[in-house]
Amino acid sequence: MSNADSTMAYPFDDIEPRWQDYWEEHQTFRTPDEVPEEEEKVYVLDMFPYPSGSGLHVGHPEGYTATDIVARYKRMQGVHVLHPMGWDAFGLPAEQYAMKTNTHPRKTTKENIAQFKRQLKRLGFSYDWQREINTTDPDYYKWTQWIFLQLYEQGLAYQSEERVWWCEELGTVLADEEVIDGKSERGGYPCKRVPMRQWVLKITEYADRLLEGLDDLDWPESTKEMQRNWIGRSEGANIYFDLVDVDDSLKVYTTRPDTLFGATYMVLAPEHDLVDEITTDEQREAVEAYREEALQKSDVERQQDEKTGVFTGGYAVNPATGEEIPVWVADYVLASYGTGAIMAVPAHDERDYAFAQEFDLPIREVVEGGDIEEAAYTDDGPHVNSANDEVDLNGLDKADAKDRIVEWLEAEGEGEHQVNYQLRDWLFSRQRYWGEPFPIVFTEDGEDKPVPEDELPVTLPDLDVFEPSGTPEGPLATIDDWVETTDPETGEPVIRETNTMPQWAGSCWYYLRFIDPDNDELPVDPEKEQYWMPVDLYVGGSEHAVLHLLYARFWHKVLYDAGVVSTKEPFQTLVHQGMILGEKEYTAYRTDDGAFVSAAHVDADPGSAGGDTRTGDELETVNVDETDVTKDGDVFVLADDPDVRVDARSHKMSKSRGNVINPDDVVDEYGADTLRLYEMFMGPLEQDKPWSTDDVEGVYRFLNRVWRLLVDDDTGEPTVTDEEPDRDQLRELHQTIKKVTQDIEHLNFNTAIAAMMEFLNAANKWDAVPQAVAEPFVLLLSPFAPHLCEELWRRLGHDDSLAYADWPEYEEALLHKEVVEMPVQVDGTVRATIEVSADAEEKDVIATAKENENVARHLEGATVQREIFVPGQIVNFVTS
RNA sequence: GCCGGAGUGGCGGAAUUGGUAGACGCAACGGACUUAAAAUCCGUUGGGGCCUGUGCCCCGUGGGGGUUCGAGUCCCCCCUCCGGUACCA
């Protein structure tokens, strides 16, 4: 039963497609190719979507509406706006679908894009569709390959043997998350890690610049912090430990060189190069077995709490104490961080402490302050037991001890100060079909060579059959007549690189291509780039807080160094829209025989089935209607049985939960303007918010009231008058202009809408609406509900679109009320509200306040110590 | 564990530099219109208490303390929830 069926509803289903056609026909939102002469510009960008087969989700229009409002608002202010949209269309799902149905990913992708585009157009976004780009288009990925060549030529791309999960049965390489317990997630077939030659990008070379660049960006603090943590810069020292009976030394990285005197053993990662050399014959078998086991474990499995490890039989010399200390192999030391080896200081490191306890290794205190019988002490304190003939750390604190010992190590040639990063170089190849081919060939003697620029793009060959390649090298390796080619320079036979680029590649620079999408000479014209960059507002999900945004910043800096772009950072202001959750659900728990169990006794993730914590019985979940629950203190209980607590929360939308809202359905029922307005009205943009169909109807009613305020339902004629607006009407209008303008500037769309609702409530009480008030109001509403407002604008007598009409400006003088209400407090408690003239003097206001009966009553018998007067805000009498 | 964010009516959420807590919307209730329903319109709605009534009093922004004439807002301590991350030496 929807209100939308009512005959009273405004005809959105007629209005919306009509205006969408108009905009398309008139190219209303086309941004000219030429660089405008006027300075002022704004580049408003959405994170472009992956066009999945399931179509648009209600989460998409949230960010897209926000940027659309800003774009439309800025256009009306006469600013040049770049507001494009495109498709991040390479990726695994289309390839998996191809293997299931033997449909070419190109076809699937094309269909999905058509679906997405149709859905977006229905929502009336003001994109310049002439600039649409698609990462799978050879004219686009030509330049992705070109950028790879820039990286290659600058020495930022190298090849390395990296281990991948290979599943013999499935005949394909799997990602980490597709392998569980060494078995494939699909089918449960055994997998093993095999080394593969892969391309890796030297993002670590840019670590410091990526870190520093964050400081000046107007980004959410949490996102900047996540990037900082991801880069993970730390300062410490490399220290060299000579090996006993082996002519080599062991290099370790530590952030606590000051605890060197407490290093009582050492640990190598199982992958460490020196394991073989160090291991003694007696220990070899045990070490080999341990190593074998560790190599087949996934990273997750290796991060179990219990520490495992095995003694190598070898010893190293602690350079500070001269002691010979045992060298172990353990998988709590990661090969990928630091040098893959550590000096273990069990007294002052929790992990080393746990390991030492497990294997009964000595624990020696070198920093005072804790109780090392109980636990590792990692805080600061005076150093002890830390002196030899040449250096003495005793009594020093952490910072001084670090300086002193590093100085000594450097003088002795036993170590040096070292900065380290958690950031790893970027594994840039995938053993897949549906991605950008690398512009690289290999000569017969195995040398890699770049494909010359004028030979780009290296296009993806077609495949007849989509099936697992049967080789870890991926599907392209099976196409001989593509792989085998000739070197255009020498005419010699060469073979092509058969890896493809990861999905991130295309999204690393798409914001540049939007500026100049058809350029076949360059990725982007420098003059246009200088005008439009940086992106002024970038909106997208926080799931991209690290990877996409870090990779894109990295490429941008490389392009900056190559002189392709003029800004050091691509995205000046970044906003993450919150997640839209499903409708709020109340969940009760029940036993087999139908008895309710209070949620207080249920052990389960809220909303999913679980067990009774007292009896262990399995419980089923029941959805309870909102009307059958009631609030009891902080929790909800069944109205009929207040002893039974129920879970009340909204969940992430998912097919399995069946709480997915399809934007198409909402548009069918209420129209695009309602969907847009609702998503903006739900709450602050950045916040997660639950969907509520009742609330959708609320904003729909608002749009209907706007329509009825200005248009006669029977005749379709406007109901406005040409009378001069009175003072009250002007004040209402100008207050609304001010509020809406400021709120859009701050992306506070929910309160902007509330202000317009307040305006409407006021206007509904007027006998008639003057045209001079109606028109600015329609303009204010237009970025939010563009179809409705275009229609109203037309009916109010305008021939052109309002897309470039002047944004209304408020007059300060019209905002003021002549008479204002002021609360009067006695000792901080409001006792009355008085009406005074807005420009009344303090003494008059105080006098009026004192005359108030209730105020007088509270002041009776008391001495007024102070009189607080804040003009227009408050009067407060403080008594003794 | 660590980092980040948030706790305000039955619900989503408002609240400039500290200045009438609960704007706006939903839901609920009452009324008008209607043969009736829907839609629409008007009104009430944080909790408790006093009063014939205009009205008045007390409590109230996760909990406890503090600063201030005045605290949702600032300071200290604690609790809960959400997101991220986790053997990074």
Side-chain angles (χ1 to χ4, degrees):
Chain A
M1 276 330 98
S2 93
N3 305 340
D5 299 331
S6 156
T7 52
M8 300 297 283
Y10 85 97
F12 64 82
D13 47 352
D14 165 55
I15 293 172
E16 292 183 353
R18 201 145 41 71
W19 282 99
Q20 285 157 18
D21 290 347
Y22 175 97
W23 295 327
E24 174 132 14
E25 200 179 304
H26 291 77
Q27 290 287 295
T28 306
F29 304 115
R30 180 85 180 101
T31 304
D33 277 331
E34 310 76 58
V35 170
E37 284 178 15
E38 297 85 350
E39 275 291 297
E40 212 181 344
K41 65 91 186 179
V42 62
Y43 185 177
V44 184
L45 184 65
D46 295 297
M47 287 186 189
F48 67 163
Y50 173 74
S52 75
S54 44
L56 210 65
H57 177 272
V58 286
H60 289 111
E62 190 189 13
Y64 300 166
T65 304
T67 52
D68 197 57
I69 289 166
V70 172
R72 288 175 178 271
Y73 162 73
K74 289 288 182 184
R75 271 186 213 105
M76 292 171 81
Q77 288 193 327
V79 176
H80 291 282
V81 174
L82 185 61
H83 187 43
M85 181 45 85
W87 317 105
D88 187 15
F90 275 128
L92 203 48
E95 186 162 347
Q96 281 170 337
Y97 184 75
M99 287 199 247
K100 236 191 298 183
T101 65
N102 208 36
T103 316
H104 197 295
R106 188 179 298 121
K107 181 164 180 284
T108 313
T109 301
K110 195 177 167 196
E111 287 166 2
N112 289 350
I113 287 175
Q115 161 80 343
F116 259 72
K117 191 169 174 181
R118 185 190 63 76
Q119 290 183 299
L120 289 182
K121 287 208 164 188
R122 277 193 89 188
L123 294 172
F125 297 130
S126 62
Y127 295 121
D128 177 359
W129 285 107
Q130 299 295 313
R131 291 172 184 262
E132 177 179 355
I133 58 180
N134 175 344
T135 55
T136 67
D137 182 343
D139 289 338
Y140 180 87
Y141 69 67
K142 170 182 175 177
W143 296 106
T144 311
Q145 292 173 341
W146 185 89
I147 294 170
F148 176 80
L149 289 181
Q150 304 299 307
L151 287 149
Y152 178 87
E153 270 144 30
Q154 290 179 42
L156 294 167
Y158 63 96
Q159 297 174 82
S160 156
E161 294 283 326
E162 301 282 335
R163 294 183 316 145
V164 296
W165 284 107
W166 162 247
C167 181
E168 187 80 44
E169 252 76 14
L170 293 174
T172 181
V173 167
L174 298 173
D176 273 350
E177 57 271 23
E178 292 175 304
V179 180
I180 298 161
D181 273 349
K183 298 210 169 67
S184 64
E185 187 189 18
R186 261 181 318 131
Y189 303 112
C191 303
K192 61 178 182 182
R193 291 185 149 223
V194 298
M196 276 285 302
R197 182 196 51 79
Q198 312 214 46
W199 287 96
V200 181
L201 300 186
K202 272 192 201 163
I203 190 171
T204 50
E205 197 152 296
Y206 280 71
D208 272 326
R209 285 166 67 188
L210 288 168
L211 203 53
E212 287 156 17
L214 289 170
D215 294 340
D216 298 326
L217 295 178
D218 183 13
W219 284 22
E221 205 43 56
S222 59
T223 300
K224 290 205 237 181
E225 205 50 37
M226 280 164 75
Q227 294 215 345
R228 289 189 189 109
N229 292 340
W230 192 263
I231 294 166
R233 185 181 196 275
S234 68
E235 282 192 49
N238 286 332
I239 304 179
Y240 302 90
F241 287 67
D242 287 332
L243 293 172
V244 176
D245 299 333
V246 178
D247 185 20
D248 213 335
S249 71
L250 194 51
K251 178 178 170 187
V252 302
Y253 172 73
T254 177
T255 54
R256 291 296 304 276
D258 58 300
T259 61
L260 178 57
F261 285 88
T264 53
Y265 66 100
M266 307 195 71
V267 185
L268 304 183
E271 295 89 343
H272 197 282
D273 289 340
L274 290 179
V275 171
D276 276 340
E277 247 181 293
I278 292 173
T279 302
T280 57
D281 292 340
E282 304 85 77
Q283 291 298 103
R284 190 161 306 277
E285 203 176 319
V287 168
E288 283 306 318
Y290 181 76
R291 225 179 160 184
E292 194 58 35
E293 202 182 318
L295 291 181
Q296 287 309 318
K297 281 199 219 168
S298 69
D299 291 348
V300 181
E301 289 171 291
R302 283 173 62 158
Q303 289 165 17
Q304 301 301 325
D305 275 341
E306 325 80 68
K307 297 271 182 286
T308 60
V310 56
F311 179 43
T312 62
Y315 289 85
V317 179
N318 182 323
T321 63
E323 280 177 307
E324 294 187 0
I325 58 176
V327 180
W328 287 61
V329 174
D331 67 4
Y332 83 92
V333 171
L334 307 177
S336 56
Y337 185 76
T339 62
I342 61 154
M343 65 177 206
V345 185
H348 306 291
D349 181 284
E350 282 161 18
R351 299 149 301 180
D352 297 344
Y353 190 87
F355 191 82
Q357 296 248 299
E358 181 73 34
F359 295 101
D360 214 17
L361 291 156
I363 299 172
R364 181 188 304 148
E365 179 177 62
V366 293
V367 182
E368 274 183 338
D371 176 5
I372 61 155
E373 297 298 318
E374 289 299 316
Y377 179 70
T378 56
D379 289 338
D380 205 350
H383 284 57
V384 293
N385 302 323
S386 296
N388 60 27
D389 294 344
E390 292 161 10
V391 64
D392 183 356
L393 308 180
N394 288 335
L396 299 180
D397 66 9
K398 220 193 247 185
D400 290 340
K402 277 185 191 176
D403 291 345
R404 179 75 57 86
I405 192 75
V406 170
E407 204 179 299
W408 180 74
L409 286 167
E410 286 182 346
E412 296 290 305
E414 308 263 24
E416 68 268 334
H417 178 260
Q418 172 75 23
V419 172
N420 209 351
Y421 301 91
Q422 243 165 276
L423 183 69
R424 305 264 62 88
D425 274 342
W426 177 12
L427 181 58
F428 194 66
S429 3
R430 300 291 183 269
Q431 294 71 45
R432 298 289 172 193
Y433 171 75
W434 195 230
E436 297 88 347
F438 281 85
I440 294 288
V441 292
F442 295 95
T443 59
E444 280 184 313
D445 50 8
E447 281 297 297
D448 48 285
K449 282 189 75 173
V451 172
E453 239 180 73
D454 56 13
E455 297 280 317
L456 298 183
V458 176
T459 54
L460 268 181
D462 272 325
L463 282 180
D464 298 326
V465 184
F466 289 89
E467 56 188 16
S469 60
T471 153
E473 289 174 314
L476 291 182
T478 65
I479 311 173
D480 292 342
D481 58 357
W482 182 80
V483 173
E484 291 161 13
T485 183
T486 51
D487 185 333
E489 282 173 1
T490 63
E492 300 283 311
V494 289
I495 57 168
R496 292 192 189 280
E497 169 62 76
T498 60
N499 281 318
T500 51
M501 299 187 199
Q503 201 186 347
W504 306 111
S507 60
C508 267
W509 72 284
Y510 73 111
Y511 57 93
L512 292 172
R513 193 60 177 172
F514 278 134
I515 291 169
D516 197 10
D518 300 317
N519 194 328
D520 50 18
E521 303 290 318
L522 288 167
V524 59
D525 175 80
E527 194 197 348
K528 293 176 182 172
E529 186 278 331
Q530 276 172 40
Y531 180 75
W532 287 111
M533 283 301 286
V535 173
D536 297 283
L537 176 63
Y538 193 31
V539 176
S542 57
E543 67 272 22
H544 296 116
V546 176
L547 296 183
H548 159 62
L549 288 164
L550 193 68
Y551 292 154
R553 292 180 60 224
F554 165 49
W555 277 33
H556 193 85
K557 287 181 185 300
V558 172
L559 293 174
Y560 177 81
D561 291 345
V564 177
V565 299
S566 61
T567 65
K568 289 186 177 173
E569 288 285 339
F571 313 120
Q572 186 52 45
T573 299
L574 170 73
V575 174
H576 299 304
Q577 81 277 17
M579 204 193 321
I580 295 185
L581 305 170
E583 199 119 12
K584 188 159 194 169
E585 293 174 34
Y586 299 88
T587 311
Y589 299 90
R590 223 163 42 180
T591 58
D592 284 350
D593 48 2
F596 283 109
V597 175
S598 173
H601 307 302
V602 176
D603 173 31
D605 290 335
S608 61
D612 189 319
T613 51
R614 299 161 304 179
T615 64
D617 289 347
E618 280 290 303
L619 300 171
E620 59 164 356
T621 59
V622 194
N623 270 342
V624 186
D625 200 85
E626 193 187 342
T627 54
D628 295 331
V629 298
T630 182
K631 197 160 191 181
D632 179 25
D634 289 338
V635 296
F636 283 90
V637 297
L638 288 178
D640 292 342
D641 188 354
D643 290 334
V644 177
R645 217 174 88 188
V646 299
D647 281 327
R649 57 175 291 176
S650 21
H651 305 270
K652 204 166 161 172
M653 287 188 190
S654 70
K655 279 190 203 119
S656 58
R657 194 173 278 279
N659 60 350
V660 175
I661 303 284
N662 179 346
D664 274 338
D665 295 342
V666 181
V667 175
D668 286 343
E669 201 165 347
Y670 302 101
D673 284 334
T674 294
L675 177 64
R676 294 170 57 116
L677 198 69
Y678 171 64
E679 293 211 2
M680 294 300 98
F681 187 60
M682 293 174 88
L685 180 62
E686 302 87 338
Q687 202 170 294
D688 292 350
K689 305 160 281 263
W691 186 268
S692 160
T693 300
D694 282 336
D695 290 357
V696 176
E697 302 218 7
V699 297
Y700 177 66
R701 281 200 278 266
F702 165 69
L703 291 181
N704 273 291
R705 285 202 292 267
V706 171
W707 176 260
R708 284 197 306 269
L709 179 73
L710 302 177
V711 175
D712 184 292
D713 246 344
D714 297 325
T715 65
E717 292 299 312
T719 55
V720 295
T721 68
D722 49 16
E723 276 167 45
E724 282 294 304
D726 66 31
R727 186 62 209 257
D728 279 348
Q729 291 172 328
L730 285 174
R731 197 185 59 249
E732 289 291 348
L733 174 68
H734 283 253
Q735 268 175 4
T736 310
I737 295 171
K738 182 177 181 183
K739 181 77 176 145
V740 172
T741 305
Q742 290 179 347
D743 282 351
I744 292 176
E745 290 285 348
H746 295 105
L747 310 182
N748 294 329
F749 305 113
N750 55 330
T751 50
I753 295 165
M756 291 188 280
M757 288 174 166
E758 285 188 77
F759 171 87
L760 182 82
N761 290 343
N764 262 330
K765 296 191 171 73
W766 303 339
D767 295 332
V769 181
Q771 175 131 3
V773 173
E775 289 195 348
F777 175 70
V778 168
L779 294 177
L780 291 181
L781 182 59
S782 68
F784 299 80
H787 311 86
L788 170 67
C789 292
E790 287 275 22
E791 184 69 17
L792 291 170
W793 190 246
R794 171 64 54 89
R795 294 196 190 207
L796 287 168
H798 299 272
D799 293 332
D800 289 339
S801 163
L802 53 61
Y804 295 88
D806 287 339
W807 184 255
E809 286 182 28
Y810 65 92
E811 280 177 47
E812 200 66 47
L814 292 172
L815 297 174
H816 298 303
K817 280 184 153 183
E818 280 128 42
V819 175
V820 297
E821 289 190 343
M822 276 184 81
V824 181
Q825 300 180 332
V826 177
D827 293 324
T829 305
V830 178
R831 295 302 178 187
T833 310
I834 56 172
E835 288 201 342
V836 294
S837 152
D839 49 8
E841 303 240 349
E842 173 167 354
K843 62 176 172 25
D844 299 327
V845 177
I846 297 279
T848 313
K850 281 181 173 166
E851 279 163 23
N852 180 281
E853 198 185 330
N854 204 40
V855 173
R857 194 158 61 79
H858 284 274
L859 288 178
E860 209 172 82
T863 318
V864 175
Q865 294 274 335
R866 272 178 77 183
E867 291 169 349
I868 312 273
F869 173 74
V870 184
Q873 302 270 22
I874 204 139
V875 175
N876 190 8
F877 297 109
V878 185
T879 68
S880 49

